[in-house]
Amino acid sequence: MPLCVPEIRGNEWQYVKNCLDTSWVSSVGAYVDRFEQKMAERLGAPFHGVATVNGTAALHTALLVAGVQPDDEVLVSDLTFIAPANAIRYAGAWPVLIDAEPGCWQMDPQQVELFLTRDCEMAGGVLRNRQSGRRVKAIIPVHILGHPVDLDPIMELAGRFDLVVIEDATEGLGGHYRGSPLGGIGHIGCYSFNGNKMITTGGGGMLVTGNPQWAEKARYLTTQAKDDPLEYIHGELGFNYRLTNLQAAMGCAQLEQLDAYLSAKEAIADRYRQELCMVPGITPMPTVDYGQSAWWLYTVRVDPAQYGMDRKTLMQRLAAEGIQTRPLWQPLHLSPVYRQAQRIGGEVSEQLNSSALSLPCSVGLSAAEQQRVIEALVRLGG
Ligand SMILES: *Cc1c(COP(=O)(O)O)cnc(C)c1O
């Protein structure tokens, strides 16, 4: 039983066949435009979407559009898939790792405030990290596992310190924060359509923003910064970060089904919560009153003292029964790549990393399959 696999049961075949039949297979085409429009529509009126080759490219582009320069610093969640931190380095900037908060496992706004007020100073209209001397320019809160970050305090701090907020809403596509779709609250939002995400194009990504100049700039940078497409005049260093029409065709079909996927994922989450809250030593994933998770990967915490085995052993025992599970990411401050980075806190990320386990939660997971996971968790405990 796999952890989380794509669900392909809509117009994917038809739309992709249409690309093949018409030879519109490459990096321009009606499906690219439509995919961008449909994504922007989900966010509401003033939004623009720029499709990219993957989510990491969307993040890299977002940082460039936000004006992040080499040697700047960017705050990012310590407990996340590594991509947003890597994107910061691609831009030549340096990540400052912000711990998770224990309640909902997301970037802790209090740690953000601590860093900005304790470690930074405003000098000549520029916010600088006192220790490194570098300019602090942006924040990337990552909605991990689909669950919303508490964004209001982060947006307030960003306003106060003149920082750009780039939401990494890859795992949160379809989730909400105080009624607003995730990815549409910060200044820029980024999504990924990799095979294991909420919807997939095989590989792909998108940047969304309500700022038309930034959208235009993103389009420019992702298409090799062409000033004159005919004469091959390029105004600056650009990138080939375009999504193909073939992939966008799949994206259009997947997006049509997103609401159905979200309902299916929520039903899976509800069932897990109801059944697992009774198992000693298993703590179901948190819910919050300020938002609605997209329930990307349903995750529980395992308390070895109460449950009778640790997360690692439980993973192996479930694997032996053909049930795939997955731990959370190694906190970035422990990764060889980011060991040198400044971190604010990090203990909560480590605790979550050692105890959390994601359970099978594909959109197509049957009730019988889920029951098998639940029974295994009940049986192996205590
Ligand atoms: C998957 C993921 C990405 C990267 O997306 P790719 O399309 O694989 O480049 C970025 N951020 C988060 C939080 C992710 O889960």
Side-chain angles (χ1 to χ4, degrees), residues 52 273 351:
T52 57
R273 186 172 44 249
Q351 284 160 14

Side-chain angles (χ1 to χ4, degrees), residues 42-119:
R42 281 193 76 95
L43 296 175
F47 278 91
H48 305 267
V50 179
T52 57
V53 69
N54 55 52
T56 310
L59 287 160
H60 182 197
T61 307
L63 288 158
L64 298 174
V65 163
V68 170
Q69 302 277 339
D71 252 9
D72 282 349
E73 289 185 356
V74 178
L75 284 66
V76 66
S77 308
D78 181 38
L79 186 64
T80 172
F81 181 56
I82 202 166
N86 286 352
I88 293 168
R89 292 298 298 127
Y90 300 163
W94 301 94
V96 175
L97 310 174
I98 307 291
D99 203 359
E101 56 95 359
C104 69
W105 314 356
Q106 309 295 318
M107 175 186 267
D108 187 343
Q110 285 180 9
Q111 301 282 2
V112 173
E113 179 161 22
L114 183 68
F115 171 71
L116 293 174
T117 55
R118 182 193 64 186
D119 297 348

Side-chain angles (χ1 to χ4, degrees), residues 54-57 59 80-81 83-84 142 168 170-171 192-194 197 204 296:
N54 55 52
T56 310
L59 287 160
T80 172
F81 181 56
V142 185
D168 184 341
T170 281
E171 300 171 8
S192 159
F193 311 117
N194 195 34
K197 302 299 160 86
W296 174 55

